[in-house]
């Protein structure tokens, strides 16, 4: 259901997950609609900067020399099939890259909060809400959001500033998260920008247990209703 949401100034951070060049240039790892997603992320980042909301950026980097990954997929040369530390395409896309003084963190796991350091960093700054965007929705976004909720953060999941390999993968991942996004909300980019500006707006919030039992036939319609 949609209900009013507001975010107290000084208690929100904007979180951007894995917005790296490989998702638009590596044929093995393309995100559908990535250009539109990046445009929405730019709007979010501009709103965050204009309203004093701190920005935190994450990049996913695989280093098989130092990381224990017994089942990690490899390419024909025995290197990581994606996000290798030696691949220049792991760079964050220039138009959404960290600005001066913004935090860039490198992660070796799907979740940005796999370890406690990032959680402690945000909580020490008085952060209660995380405004989350990035890729891939069913993988790193899902893992990050679930760990954030477990850590006690409220999550505003910005559905049109996230993406995956296909619309179906993205939409069903958003629905799965929405069904269990306790304490948080799902919104589009325009709504998220208004919230960062201090407005109270209506956003989708979970009520009860697994309120959306979606099917192949109605998943896209339910996604649009969020």
């Amino acid at each position: 259901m949609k209900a009013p949401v507001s975010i107290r100034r000084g208690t929100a951070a904007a979180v951007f997950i894995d917005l790296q060049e490989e998702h638009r240039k590596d044929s093995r790892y393309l995100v559908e609609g990535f250009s539109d997603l990046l445009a929405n992320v730019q709007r979010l980042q501009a709103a965050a900067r204009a309203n004093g909301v701190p920005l935190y950026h994450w990049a996913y980097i695989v280093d098989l020399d130092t990381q224990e990954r017994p089942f990690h997929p490899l390419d024909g040369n025995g290197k990581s099939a994606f996000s290798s530390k030696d691949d220049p395409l792991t760079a964050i896309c220039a138009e959404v890259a960290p600005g001066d003084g913004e935090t860039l963190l490198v992660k070796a796991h799907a979740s940005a909060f796999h370890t406690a350091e990032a959680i402690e960093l945000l909580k020490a700054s008085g952060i209660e809400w995380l405004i989350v965007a990035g890729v891939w929705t069913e993988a790193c976004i899902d893992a990050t959001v679930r760990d954030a909720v477990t850590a006690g953060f409220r999550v505003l999941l910005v559905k049109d500033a996230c993406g995956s390999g296909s619309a179906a993968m993205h939409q069903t991942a958003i629905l799965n998260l929405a069904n269990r996004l306790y304490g948080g909300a799902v919104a589009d980019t325009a709504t998220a920008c208004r919230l960062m500006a201090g407005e109270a707006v209506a956003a989708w919030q979970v009520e009860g247990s697994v309120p959306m039992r979606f099917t192949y036939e109605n998943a896209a319609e339910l996604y649009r209703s969020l």
Side-chain angles (χ1 to χ4, degrees), residues 14-222:
V15 168
F16 301 100
I17 303 294
D18 303 349
L19 294 166
Q20 294 159 260
E21 287 287 355
E22 59 194 331
H23 303 302
R24 64 176 166 190
K25 292 182 179 177
D26 187 335
S27 61
R28 304 167 299 176
Y29 210 31
L30 300 177
V31 167
E32 183 174 327
F34 197 52
S35 294
D36 291 338
L37 184 163
L38 291 177
N40 286 334
V41 168
Q42 286 182 288
R43 292 169 61 196
L44 288 175
Q45 292 182 344
R49 290 166 182 147
N51 290 286
V53 175
L55 285 74
Y56 292 82
H57 308 256
W58 269 265
Y60 182 70
I61 306 292
V62 176
D63 183 354
L64 294 178
D65 295 329
T66 62
Q67 298 164 5
E68 186 82 18
R69 295 174 177 265
F71 306 116
H72 189 81
L74 306 176
D75 64 17
N77 298 315
K79 295 186 176 182
S80 173
F82 53 85
S83 305
S84 172
K85 67 179 178 66
D86 299 317
D87 189 344
L89 295 183
T90 56
I92 293 179
C93 298
E95 63 266 49
V96 295
D100 292 343
E102 294 173 2
T103 301
L104 171 61
L105 299 165
V106 173
K107 61 189 180 70
H109 302 275
S111 172
F113 302 118
H114 180 80
T115 58
E117 286 83 356
I119 294 171
E120 293 169 355
L121 174 67
L122 288 161
K123 290 205 167 182
S125 300
I127 300 301
E128 300 172 5
W129 278 91
L130 302 179
I131 299 160
V132 175
V135 297
W136 286 34
T137 318
E138 81 288 357
C140 294
I141 295 297
D142 181 279
T144 294
V145 168
R146 292 181 189 276
D147 282 351
V149 172
T150 298
F153 294 107
R154 295 181 183 273
V155 171
L156 182 72
L157 180 60
V158 188
K159 67 175 187 175
D160 58 349
C162 295
S164 188
S166 71
M169 294 167 73
H170 165 67
Q171 291 173 2
T172 53
I174 292 287
L175 291 172
N176 277 321
L177 281 170
N179 267 332
R180 295 169 175 84
L181 194 56
Y182 307 118
V186 181
D188 61 14
T189 297
T191 301
C193 290
R194 291 174 63 193
L195 278 165
M196 285 190 280
E199 295 185 42
V201 296
W204 196 92
Q205 299 168 64
V206 63
E207 185 177 72
S209 176
V210 196
M212 293 183 291
R213 304 297 179 103
F214 57 90
T215 65
Y216 293 118
E217 292 73 25
N218 73 357
E221 180 182 353
L222 283 172

